[in-house]
Amino acid sequence: MNETPEQVQVAVQEKKPNNKKILIIVVSVIVMLFIAQSLFSPERMAERMIENSINGDIDIDSDSGQIEIKGEDGESMKVTTGKKTELPKDWPSSVPVFPGSTIESSMSIAGQEESVSHNVTFSTNVDFDKVADFYNDELVKGGWTIAQTITTGDGSMITATKDDSNSVSVYIGTDDKGTTVTITVIAD
């Protein structure tokens, strides 16, 4: 069976893939992946999983570093981390954040009975002792009564109360990166 050059060329042309079909397939796959990503993104999948387990609503915003959870009975929790982290809106002015520090995270929890709990962590390069002295002085100036101070080798915890229904605990820790402060305020 001897084929002529024209027959060989026709056979080769018939075996070439159809570029138009390949382009349509590639574009279709890209569109499907985009749709799947928007429906099944890790962020949205985590939201759905948590919402189903708590019978509430959750919003995870990885760009801003915020997670907000609202329970069906009115409870809520908001956690913020990252560079855009700020103090909670109703943070008590009688509990200052150390001047010049960087807020690393904040969390607020509101219960059904108007009780609110805030937790803020921040860091500073200022010496541990100066930060501890600052909080011992500033809490008293803010009307808090120091209930207890516990000091260990690399940390200190100050607890204080105000008006019999409010409490604050300040944990000050130190390591080779600097001083870290975590403050928890509970207001009823």
Side-chain angles (χ1 to χ4, degrees), residues 130-143 146 158:
K130 289 180 182 178
V131 176
D133 290 344
F134 172 84
Y135 278 100
N136 276 310
D137 294 342
E138 292 299 313
L139 289 174
V140 171
K141 286 180 188 175
I146 304 295
I158 304 165

Side-chain angles (χ1 to χ4, degrees), residues 121-173:
T121 299
F122 56 90
S123 59
T124 181
N125 289 326
V126 176
D127 181 61
F128 164 86
D129 291 324
K130 289 180 182 178
V131 176
D133 290 344
F134 172 84
Y135 278 100
N136 276 310
D137 294 342
E138 292 299 313
L139 289 174
V140 171
K141 286 180 188 175
W144 294 88
T145 301
I146 304 295
Q148 186 175 29
T149 301
I150 300 170
T151 303
T152 63
D154 60 354
S156 180
M157 186 169 76
I158 304 165
T159 58
T161 58
K162 186 177 189 177
D163 303 327
D164 294 330
S165 61
N166 299 309
S167 65
V168 61
S169 67
V170 180
Y171 176 77
I172 306 160

Side-chain angles (χ1 to χ4, degrees), residues 16-26:
K16 279 187 178 179
N18 186 337
N19 289 336
K20 191 173 185 179
K21 283 183 182 180
I22 291 173
L23 182 61
I24 290 172
I25 291 170
V26 168

Side-chain angles (χ1 to χ4, degrees), residues 5 7-8 11 17 19 34 65 74 78 88 98 111 138 158 163 176 181:
Q7 290 173 328
V8 171
N19 289 336
F34 178 75
K78 183 175 183 179
F98 192 80
E138 292 299 313
I158 304 165
D163 303 327
D176 59 340
V181 179

Side-chain angles (χ1 to χ4, degrees), residues 93-110:
S93 60
S94 61
V95 182
V97 171
F98 192 80
S101 61
T102 302
I103 299 174
E104 304 290 341
S105 68
S106 72
M107 177 174 62
S108 293
I109 300 172

